[in-house]
Amino acid sequence: MLWLCLRFARLPLEVFTHSQPECTQPIVIIEQHRVHCCNAHAEDMGVKIRSSWATACTLCPDARAIERVPAQEQKALQSLALWCYQFTSAVSVEAPDKLLLELQGSLAMFGGLHALLLCIQQGVHAQGYSLATGLAPTPKAASLMSYSKVQASNYINSSGLGLVPEKFTALLNALPVSTLNTSEQIIAKLCRTGFESLSDVLHLPYAAAGKRYGKAFVLYLQQILGEVSDPQSTICLPESFTESLHFMQGITETEALLFPMQRLLSLLCIYLRVRQLHCTTFTCLFEHQSGQDKTQIQTLKLDFSRPQNNLKHFMVLLGIKLENFTITAPVESITLQANKLCRAEQASATLFPGFGLAADDSTLRLLFDKLSARLGTNAMYGLCMQDSHIPEYAWQTQPVLHPASQHKRPVPYQIKTGQRPIWLLNKPLPLQCRRHQLYWHGKLELIEDTERLEGNWWHKPVQRDYFVARREDGTCCWIFQDRLTRHWFIQGLFG
Amino acid sequence: MYAELHTLSNFTFLRGASRPDELVQRAAELGYSAMALTDECSLAGVVKAYVACKHHAVKLIIGSEFTFEEGSKLVLIAPDKAAYGELSTFISLGRRRSNKGEYKLRLDDLRFGIKRCLGIWLPEIDNPEKSGARLCELLPQGLWLGVELIRKGSDQQRYLNLYKLAKKLNLPMVACGDVHMHTPKRKILQDTLSAIRLNTSVNKLGCLLQSNSEQYLRPISKLKNIYPQALLDESVRISERCNFSLDELRYCYPKELVPEGHTPQRYLRQLVEHGAHLRWPEKIPGPVLALIEKELLLIEEMQYEYYFLTVYDLVQFARDKKILCQGRGSAANSVVCYCLFITEISPTRISLLFERFISKEREEPPDIDVDFEHERREEVIQYIYKKYTRERAAIAATVITYRARSAVRDVGKALDLDPLFVDQLAKSLAWWDRNSDLKKRFEEHKVQDREQLFAQLVQEILGFPRHLSQHVGGFIISEGPVNQLVPVENASMPDRTVIQWDKEDIEALGLLKVDVLALGMLTTIRKCLTEIGLYSNAVPDIQSIPEEDHATWEMLCRADSVGVFQIESRAQMSMLPRLRPVCFYDLVIEIAIVRPGPIQGNMVHPFLKRRSGIEPISYPNDEIKSVLERTMGVPIFQEQVIKLAMVAAGFSGGEADKLRRAMASWGKNGNLLQFENKLVQGMLKRGYKEDFAHRLFEQIKGFGGYGFPESHSASFALLAYISAWMKCHHPAAFLCAILNSQPMGFYSPSQLVQDARRHAITVEPVDINISDWDHKLEAVQAAIKAGVQPSVRLGFRLVKGFGKASALRIMKEREAQAFNNLLDLSRRAQLNKGEMESLANASAFTSFSAHRYQAHWQVLGIEETRPLLSDTESSSQHSLADGVYLPPPLPQQDMLADYQSTGLTIKKHPMEFLRSCENARKELKRCKRHTDLQHLNNGRFVTIAGLVTGRQRPGSASGVLFLTLEDETGNTNIVVWKSVQVRFRQSLLASKLLLVKGVMECKNEVIHVVMGEALDLSYLLDDLAVRSRDFH
């Protein structure tokens, strides 16, 4: 058995920068107010790992600070694991930042350790990640060796199919005690007993060590040395494919989308190959921020008449589709989804995409489908209430064909408001005012009390006095006077 | 006319958006006849409103708003003193039952609690009748239905409903406004406060925000359009029934302080006379007798006897229990206090100025602060609770308000800005960097539209109260139960309660307050006396310390003052060799002169110039000479400023004190100008030249305004002298005492020990069979015989991870028999593995094991066996090693481990190691050490390196930074000018070990190195546990 450990030392940082490695801004990753990781530009300014965020701020005020996102690191690690599947089927994840590959079976196919290592290193670098490698006969030893300052290629033997034992042992023994993957208390205890490097620890009598540091620790040592077996659990491949790329500086031109799309599509192809599947359609979601809080998504869907798994094919069709596609705002992330997959030979059945409607609503569904086919999907919508005093924000449309979004908090019904009309106009329409008399296709007469509504000063201030007015022909209207401009408008009609 | 009866101020924390004084002022401007301040279950803001009402023509009514568990909302107002007492007790009831910051009240509580207060009911929307009926029954003395019309739509309908309800329940109606702010412009702030209170951002609050900004103090003309006249008139009618003023709370002093058959005046006089005889056993000097008379007369006139009697009682208690204590501050200006043994400054040592302490014009009761030994202050506090009971004594509150950083954080969060961005903004106000380009930062984060709002809100919210907290030592003591004077609520410390008013409020109302403060140096002094008592009976108490000891003055002139009270800081050490104190009064000046102000940096104080003869001294006449002679013609003390105004410009004592106060706040308001005119006019009338008068005023402004009170400086000078004398003559006992009183003072234990060792004190390491919990003197008799200082044995308290209880067990077991080995120790003293490890790491087991690594290995091998087997030692010391013998640590590893486990080392200093090791950097080898600098000339280029143990940037010293570098021979001061700081910013900010190249400056034996270049060598240290203390 021969294990290779891939350690992604800067993963917390590179999950943000890997798609745009040429970024020149200093970037600092923060966890619990301490610097966890930073890029070379920040290091140049004197920022150090484990220093406090306040110190980093003072040394490098231009630094872009990002809170660490472990979930994103895990996803990236999974995606890298998937990518490694092309080299061997024995891939396991050692959280938070390592992958373990068992290579014995793949050596022949890839032409020896040197070639294989080179291939892997180049592939990882191309994806924008930095890498440290370690080789060993056991997975835990390989994990440790990834911390060695000496590169793995230096202790591969002349045949290229194994390691040089003396060199390997010497390097392993030289590693400091702090690299051991055990609790901080145990490492502290080891240091206080004067143990500095692994050579001091690996050859302690097991009984004595167990008494002092626990049986689990002794087991760990034995697994490092290969005296006890250490089975690894290999990764499971997901059922469908979803991968994303994030960009710190948004992409503004359509042509610039091709390169990252190609990366995503090649990952898709690896996945399809490994699972022996083809896909009939995939969807690209382009996400961008517009103003505060809102993310807008532009979708691009590609359908194929026959199931495919060919990268070239994907790229050609994508290129054609992108010609007619315009980006409305700088794209901050791209997600590729492929969940309609099938075996190579069968043609996929035309599934009717589920839109969250109940199964027994079949006649309704049919009606919606016909209408959307005739008028377009955006021509239909429903209404819902949002939590706000200002009427145009309180009343929102929602598309009928997508599941209703959950409110963060139920709208409090006990709030006493004035009357509300049935029909709210899209936009308030101005009224005419001639000689103290209001007109909107007829004279208006105020009948009910004022209701004063104010708010939204953090975005666009609203200050209005609302009235109910009756028109000559009997229609009741909901009108207001804008206190800032002193103009009159109508906003709704009562039944 | 109208009276607003339902107002919330910002003391309803995070709901009200205006200060009490803003509300009062606005109400007066609008012509309201009265305003009731009705914060929610609180009277925290009423005193501030009361003070404001003195300057505005509007009547203040005291009240409070409550929301009961059943859902009803009620405002209670107090028409008279008894009703006020009810209200205060009622609030206390609600607060005491709940956690800090909350309250719980049921309608039933009204039955017995409220019989005189008037109530205004604010009916709920659904089914109000039931609670309305209940309230009618519970408040027969006066209940109204409050009508609040604030344009929420359907106001008319609402009014009709309320009218019907009032008719049904037969209640009169009154108009009120549910006022949350004094102007509608504060709505934005009010929304922000709501967001902060609900821990979210404004845009997510939705309908939880108020829908409009009508809840402000509205003009009467507007109100006339909204409410029927009858309802407005009713508010005035209610207000006319209320005639309670907070002045009625004065003069409720605890009567038991005066024994039967005496009046307070007679009793006080008796005590003072008795004390005077103790102070002057031979004969009381004539001038002193005159002063005593003068003071007693004023005390009697202002009826302040109880203040003195209360503090006298506390001080007597402390002296009985041998707790060292001393009055501080302006109280030391009083001979009466001296005779009562409250202060220790005799009128013969400095000239006292009673007017600085009490005067007729001040209208404030005396503020007598007393310092007690910090470790025993709790005993004094318990005595107060016991004597007056918890009903009559309570701790004053401190109002925690919004400062710059908290304001930025909370407003940023409310505006939904990115949390890390907000963090960055908050931190860039930090002490190092004061420039923050707000606009640019907002642009970078794509939120430029919010920058104006942000800046505006932060400005508005600064100074707003956030919550109440317990004051450090201020107690209010009253004759009757405190909760009838002011509501009492739960503090966050368990078993502690706090009143809703702070020190200012208490003073404004003239209530009795005492301050029980803690001072670490008093503990040190007492402990030192105890240690000295082990080998000498020459110094049983402070009074037996000889005054004006020559050796002590010499020591201070050399700036050898590490550990000495008040004069041990870097700034003080630079001043001592220049000022060269040789008598008590010099010390009084020394302490007062080193203050923030224009004197920092390189500017030389004119006092020094005159003392050294550079500047001539002259006085225009004898009057001024009598005031300024003792400070060479330069006004240094606040008392001199006051006396000058009296003597040269004819101010009365009280007016002169006002001038002094105006100076203390002259940056903040424009009071000073009126005084300038008066002073100049007064001086002109007395024949001084105008030019001289203006110059004198400038001088006063420049130095007197920043100065200490002379009395305060003198009280501190006493303690400084005592501690200096002890350090000079009994350094081992002093070291022991000061280490046992940590944490306190300017220096860490590591620095104190290093200083002592440089003075030839031997310090012995922690040893399991010798050390106690406290540090102690060793081999005392032998040392005294040989004429040297005893050694100091370090105690277990120094060991990290080791507690007092375990140390006491060790000491007890050891009395029977010393410990033989590790097992013996762990069994008999019942120490767990963690504690054994801590001791092993601190190298306490050198008598059992070869070295700390082996000790640690052996300790880890101890099995926690059953007690039955304790006799048959199944594993001996030998087998504890399990056959493993570890090599000893290298000396530098040993030293580092010392720092990690105890915070100090008595082996070689890290710098010594770094210099002498084989692959030492050549720059380090060529460096000078601190002692070498003495032999070099002024202006010489030097290279010096050391651990960075101090960074200081006094705000007014034109941006100069002071660094302290510690090496094995001492501490060197490095001066870094602004231009140099910019080049070496990184190193200066974060370095732990710095190499400095620069020019040495030596003036009057004070040595600095002015930095030209710096090299950060922190990497040489790894994890040394010496941290630098950053000031300012």
Side-chain angles (χ1 to χ4, degrees), chain A residues 107-276:
Chain A
L107 289 176
M109 190 164 42
F110 288 90
L113 274 173
H114 283 292
L116 185 49
L117 218 53
L118 194 60
C119 197
I120 292 176
Q121 277 167 338
Q122 284 176 340
V124 167
H125 285 311
Q127 292 182 64
Y129 293 101
S130 43
L131 183 65
T133 50
L135 279 168
T138 65
K140 295 213 159 49
S143 190
L144 290 170
M145 288 302 285
S146 70
Y147 289 99
S148 174
K149 295 200 170 62
V150 175
Q151 288 291 343
S153 44
N154 288 352
Y155 47 93
I156 299 177
N157 65 17
S158 42
S159 70
L161 298 171
L163 306 174
V164 180
E166 303 82 34
K167 249 192 173 174
F168 166 76
T169 317
L171 288 170
L172 183 68
N173 281 333
L175 289 172
V177 157
S178 51
T179 53
L180 286 171
N181 186 9
T182 176
S183 73
E184 288 203 17
Q185 283 96 309
I186 294 184
I187 295 188
K189 277 192 193 173
L190 292 168
C191 289
R192 287 204 218 111
T193 325
F195 298 138
E196 289 178 0
S197 60
L198 289 195
S199 59
D200 298 328
V201 177
L202 286 174
H203 305 290
L204 285 173
Y206 286 150
K211 217 204 283 184
R212 289 161 173 77
Y213 307 110
K215 293 213 169 54
F217 181 69
V218 173
L219 183 65
Y220 175 54
L221 294 178
Q222 291 173 314
Q223 284 175 330
I224 294 174
L225 294 171
E227 292 168 16
V228 165
S229 70
D230 182 17
Q232 301 289 311
S233 47
T234 51
I235 57 164
C236 295
L237 296 170
E239 283 302 311
S240 64
F241 180 86
T242 306
E243 278 295 326
S244 307
L245 281 177
H246 301 273
F247 309 99
M248 293 212 331
Q249 291 152 345
I251 295 187
T252 43
E253 272 141 34
T254 322
E255 299 88 63
L257 288 173
L258 278 171
F259 184 68
M261 280 308 308
Q262 184 171 9
R263 278 172 60 175
L264 287 171
L265 286 171
S266 46
L267 280 176
L268 173 62
C269 290
I270 295 177
Y271 171 78
L272 292 173
R273 221 180 330 133
V274 155
R275 290 208 58 202
Q276 313 251 319

Side-chain angles (χ1 to χ4, degrees), chain A residues 30 33 44-46 53-55 57-59 61-63 65-67 189 191-196 204-205 208-209 211-213 292-293 332 387-389 409 412 415-418 449-454 457-458 465, chain B residues 125 151-156 188 191-192 202-214 415-416 420 423-424 427 433 441 450 453 457 833 837 841 853 856-857 860-861 863 880-882 884 886 893 985-986 989:
Chain A
I30 308 288
H33 300 285
D44 287 340
M45 301 287 289
W53 168 220
T55 316
C57 243
T58 324
L59 285 168
D62 301 325
I66 307 177
E67 191 81 33
K189 277 192 193 173
C191 289
R192 287 204 218 111
T193 325
F195 298 138
E196 289 178 0
L204 285 173
K211 217 204 283 184
R212 289 161 173 77
Y213 307 110
Q292 75 226 86
D293 311 329
E332 306 217 331
D387 188 8
S388 173
H389 285 298
R409 184 177 56 247
I415 303 290
K416 192 84 171 121
T417 61
D449 244 342
T450 353
E451 184 179 357
R452 181 164 285 186
L453 288 179
E454 298 171 13
W457 46 265
W458 50 88
D465 280 341
Chain B
I125 297 186
R151 300 224 201 179
K152 297 258 199 239
S154 60
D155 268 357
Q156 283 178 4
I188 296 184
D191 283 347
T192 312
V202 282
N203 52 345
K204 295 196 183 95
L205 279 177
C207 290
L208 286 170
L209 294 173
Q210 283 164 4
S211 60
N212 59 32
S213 52
E214 288 295 297
L415 288 181
D416 207 22
L420 282 176
D423 231 20
Q424 220 170 354
K427 278 167 180 152
D433 248 274
R441 286 181 193 275
R450 277 181 255 180
L453 269 176
L457 283 168
K833 234 185 198 177
E837 276 186 67
N841 290 334
Y853 288 164
H856 194 243
W857 175 257
L860 287 176
E863 286 175 52
L880 265 186
D882 282 323
V884 174
L886 301 169
Q893 290 174 323
R985 209 148 165 267
Q986 284 181 27
L989 195 62

Side-chain angles (χ1 to χ4, degrees), chain B residues 278-517:
Chain B
L278 286 175
R279 291 290 199 188
W280 291 277
E282 257 106 79
K283 181 180 182 280
I284 306 173
V288 169
L289 281 172
L291 264 179
I292 293 179
E293 264 318 300
K294 180 174 146 212
E295 291 186 17
L296 283 176
L297 273 174
L298 187 59
I299 293 173
E300 184 175 336
E301 190 184 333
M302 307 297 293
Q303 296 186 40
Y304 287 154
E305 294 87 351
Y306 277 95
Y307 292 89
F308 293 86
L309 292 174
T310 322
V311 178
Y312 170 76
D313 180 64
L314 281 183
V315 168
Q316 279 302 107
F317 165 76
R319 299 181 77 219
D320 278 342
K321 295 277 184 207
K322 305 253 184 299
I323 304 177
L324 283 185
C325 60
Q326 188 176 274
R328 62 147 80 182
S330 53
N333 271 310
S334 157
V335 184
V336 162
C337 283
Y338 181 67
C339 293
L340 292 174
F341 284 83
I342 294 175
T343 61
E344 294 296 313
I345 298 295
S346 156
T348 52
R349 285 193 110 162
I350 65 169
S351 50
L352 305 183
L353 187 66
F354 196 58
E355 286 81 355
R356 171 65 185 81
F357 179 44
I358 310 180
S359 68
K360 247 189 277 206
E361 287 83 347
R362 250 169 124 163
E363 292 177 358
E364 269 172 20
D367 197 10
I368 313 181
D369 298 340
V370 182
D371 284 313
F372 294 87
E373 287 182 37
H374 72 333
E375 282 177 13
R376 297 185 66 185
R377 190 180 74 124
E378 189 59 32
E379 287 175 52
V380 181
I381 292 182
Q382 289 309 316
Y383 169 73
I384 295 180
Y385 276 135
K386 193 152 161 260
K387 181 176 171 105
Y388 298 104
T389 77
R390 279 176 185 275
E391 260 77 66
R392 299 164 59 210
I395 300 186
T398 314
V399 183
I400 305 293
T401 58
Y402 269 106
R403 304 293 178 90
R405 257 192 224 184
S406 43
V408 166
R409 281 227 169 83
D410 280 0
V411 170
K413 196 163 161 213
L415 288 181
D416 207 22
L417 300 173
D418 174 50
L420 282 176
F421 174 50
V422 173
D423 231 20
Q424 220 170 354
L425 285 174
K427 278 167 180 152
S428 59
L429 306 168
W431 64 283
W432 194 280
D433 248 274
R434 290 196 197 280
N435 55 327
S436 45
D437 197 353
L438 204 63
K439 238 190 170 136
K440 200 177 98 185
R441 286 181 193 275
F442 269 79
E443 273 168 16
E444 272 174 20
H445 287 256
K446 308 191 189 117
V447 282
Q448 54 268 45
D449 52 337
R450 277 181 255 180
E451 183 250 328
Q452 282 274 59
L453 269 176
F454 178 80
Q456 178 196 333
L457 283 168
V458 168
Q459 271 301 111
E460 275 186 340
I461 210 177
L462 277 179
F464 259 52
R466 294 168 76 187
H467 57 90
L468 291 179
S469 170
Q470 195 180 306
H471 187 266
V472 157
F475 270 86
I476 173 179
I477 303 178
S478 73
E479 168 65 2
V482 170
N483 64 5
Q484 281 187 359
L485 278 182
V486 51
V488 176
E489 48 179 70
N490 289 331
S492 36
M493 261 175 88
D495 219 29
R496 283 267 218 258
T497 52
V498 81
I499 61 173
Q500 285 184 337
W501 291 341
D502 65 12
K503 275 184 73 165
E504 273 177 30
D505 296 338
I506 298 175
E507 273 171 23
L509 293 182
L511 300 175
L512 182 62
K513 169 188 67 75
V514 289
D515 261 296
V516 176
L517 304 173

Side-chain angles (χ1 to χ4, degrees), chain B residues 61-62 77-81 83-84 116-118 241-244:
Chain B
I61 301 178
I62 313 285
I77 56 180
D80 56 38
K81 187 168 175 196
Y84 175 82
R116 300 184 64 95
C117 285
L118 308 174
R241 280 174 69 168
C242 299
N243 288 305
F244 169 68

